[in-house]
Amino acid sequence: MSLVKCTLKELQDRFTRGDVSAVEIVRAYFLRISVVESKVKAYITLNDKETLLSQAEALDHALSAWRKTEPMMAMPIAVKDNICTEGLPTTCGSRILGGFVPPYSATAVDALLAQQYFLIGKTNLDEFGMGSSTEYSAFGASRNPWNLSHVPGGSSGGSAAAVAADECVAALGTDTGGSIRQPAACCGVVGLKPTYGRVSRYGLIAFASSLDQIGPITKDVMDAALMLNVLAGHDARDSTSADKAVPDFTRVFKKKDVKKLKIGVPLEFFAEGLDEEVYDAVGEALAVLEDLGGTMEEVSLPHTGVAVATYYIVATAEASSNLARYDGVKYGFRAKESSDLLEMYRTTRQEGFGQEVKRRIMLGTYALSSGYYDAYYAKAQAVRTLIREDFDRVFQDVDLLVTPVMPTPAFQLGEKIEDPLQMYLSDLYTISASLAGVPAISLPCGFSRKGLPIGMQILGRPFEEDVVLRAARAYELATDWRKKRPRIR
Amino acid sequence: MTFETVIGLEVHAQLQTQSKMFCGCATEFGLPANTRTCPVCLGLPGALPVVNKHAVEMAVRTGLALNCTVRTTNQFARKNYFYPDLPKGYQVSQYDRPICEHGWLELQANGTSKKVRIRRAHLEEDAGKNIHADAGSLVDLNRAGTPLIEIVTEPDMRSADEVVSYLKSLRDVLMYIGVCDGNMEQGSLRCEPNLSLRPVGSDELGTKVELKNINSFKFVKDAIEYEIKRQTKVLSEGGTIIQETRLWDIERNQTAVMRSKEEAHDYRYFPDPDLVPLVISEEWIEELQATIQELPRDRHRRFLHDYGLPDYDAGVLTSSRALADYFEACVTLFAEPKLISNFLMSEFLRELHQAGTTVESSPVSPERLVGLLQLVHDHTISLKVAKEIFPELYAGDKSAAQLVEEKGLRQLSDEGELLSLIDAVIEQHPAQVAQYRGGKGTVIGFLVGQAMKRSGGKANPQKVNALFKTRLSP
């Protein structure tokens, strides 16, 4: 089998055994990239091939005496371009960070570096993670490997497309309201948003601090568990990271069923607006889970209807403040020839940010303004608590929830770009888990008649990623969706 | 119409921590620009803050020393505004849940004391500094992220003197508990008064003006007095006060408008999502309470009571904790408080001042200083000699007794020797002797002076005086 078709687990095994060298891995992936990248446009910045080759040579040489490997050693991994990588430009898909090269790496990247992974490149995203299609990237949209006229989803569309197109073995994404799960569903791969606080945010360039999480985008559920093993853990540099024990997330895979698990089906997620094909695919997936020993139960999350509105106040309010630092003073882009400070601020931000980012900064600024704070931000926080309580309540009864990831399969490029509200609604099913901070995975559960992947979402209790992964893996093994690969043309 | 002045005060005090509020960078000053910085205090994308525990401890101790309630759950908030010296575009501060609330501090003015209520004290980070050069403006972020505590009073003060007194008391407390060096000129302590006038007898507050750029006690007094006059004039002429921020102009000795209420920022405060609520346990508060020793005001009272010192002396000695400690160390060795107090307030402080050093690093230990004063007390030397040899005691490491021996400064007290001196003076100045005998008692001073001179200053003046009187009595 071609190296680039391997899952992370398969590639790890082959490298560990010495069946394949680090140099061969780097060569294979760069060859693949040279064939498909011009069509998929998954990357903003590719790492230097020669640099990686010399790292690979050194690694092979070091291992030639005594083969002692680590799980991520020599694994070609892509990193979303809103995660800081020392020495490699990090753009957030924005002009405003033009020329910015971070002097430090994110904690999540450091964890991979410590095991000598290979950073293949930095993947495309909607500017600062604000979008659901990568069309809001200042570097142009990425394409869906299953159908190049469709979007790969977003904002981690570059990462999802790169994994689906075999341009890396796994990737890091970030999820604020669905930005890992939604593109994973669009591209037919697996995307895991861990519990808020599970993975350090240090070095993740903030969109909305109380929602942002780093997580893996992988070819299957096993790989997601392997990645989470490396990424998870407390970080003293992130005050919001949780000081919780990190289990070996692959341990639960000994069980190949979902026996004794109670699975909730929230009615609000199967209501009006859900595409029929998606409805059917998720419905069939529920039947598979039932066959695997799960007990099904209808549940209700009554505040689901206000989740999108709540999200767009909380997230934009935080973003309006988080993005204030891009002022042209210290790093990144600065507009030329301003006559005074105020003009420099204005023109820098006017020219540096894209439309959607400016729209959200304005929304958030408004929501926090004196006189509006109570009506918007404070109210949204109160509703967020209610949404969290909805989850607390149903999770007293059921172990997991199963829902669609997005209302439709991937839409066409340009289809929603002029209609922000329609674009926002594509996050309908993913936003609740973000507001509640609970873990959620997106995995393939079928294809549309047009041949586009459909995803299902499994949500669990806070810090119970292991339970989520167990159910997802059992489903994955009971079906063949992961074996279907896109033909890029 | 006569007006009453109403003043409230905001004071920013820089906490003396080793590292910054939210990162590990050192809080050293005077270093090359931007050398004490890291991704966090530079506001680099992706960097996150972590609260400095020592700063929290200092804030809690400040609150306790100011009789505040310490909030067991408090929250950091972002204050959003654009300025080049503010790297993140917001300052991490506290808003509706500050760390300390509802305290008070006593001030002394015009012979009476008064409690000023403290509304709140909260933690925040300092900004950097803009430097304006010919080529353009530069930014130094060494100071960015330094921990500050902002202490806000209720509008309880009524005059410039009260404000100055409050400020001095506050500074004493902060220095005493070791959280701030109290240096106004260097900006470790900054104050911003809010001032308004209202007709005497009225309960309503008038329109307030905020004063900035006041970096010494003198400017505090000058700026407030100027502003009282200005507002009185406006109101007396039937005008209205505009709510605004005014800057004290040191050159012109007047305040000038900096910005009006309309131009005031909307800071859009909201809880900082990068920092979880700060929980302070009752046990921790108790532990910190135990570290706060007697505060200046209480020690002052004790000095009056226990040592019988005048109010002035007690005030000077308790103005710094180190000096008060030094005094008490001396008194423990030698129970002559007033003699010690006099000497500390004059010779000792003068010598330290000239050497540019502090009480803590005084080369003269309480033991050596007491050794000197004991010689005065038992008449081995006169106070004058003690003062004369103090610089040598200060500069070297000899004891007072050694110095007196080596220099032969021992006071002449032997009656026989003194009588021969006195007889010589009587012989030399028959005219003055006659005057004295004739009833002009003041002449004795001249005669004693002559005898002292003959002894080279070593004669015991009280004894000489007494001996003259017996000698010349009819």
Side-chain angles (χ1 to χ4, degrees), chain A residues 175-196:
Chain A
D175 192 312
T176 306
S179 280
I180 286 176
R181 293 161 283 158
Q182 188 260 22
C186 284
C187 294
V189 292
V190 171
L192 172 65
K193 182 200 89 74
T195 311
Y196 184 79

Side-chain angles (χ1 to χ4, degrees), chain A residues 262-330:
Chain A
K262 270 173 99 175
I263 295 170
V265 182
L267 294 172
E268 292 83 0
F269 286 65
F270 292 86
E272 204 182 335
L274 179 59
D275 180 279
E276 204 175 304
E277 287 183 299
V278 178
Y279 184 98
D280 290 345
V282 178
E284 280 166 36
L286 284 167
V288 172
L289 286 168
E290 198 162 22
D291 286 347
L292 288 167
T295 329
M296 297 294 150
E297 192 172 314
E298 280 186 355
V299 296
S300 173
L301 296 165
H303 296 93
T304 302
V306 287
V308 173
T310 303
Y311 173 84
Y312 276 94
I313 290 171
V314 173
T316 58
E318 292 179 13
S320 72
S321 172
N322 282 332
L323 271 58
R325 67 187 63 192
Y326 309 108
D327 57 6
V329 173
K330 305 162 293 284

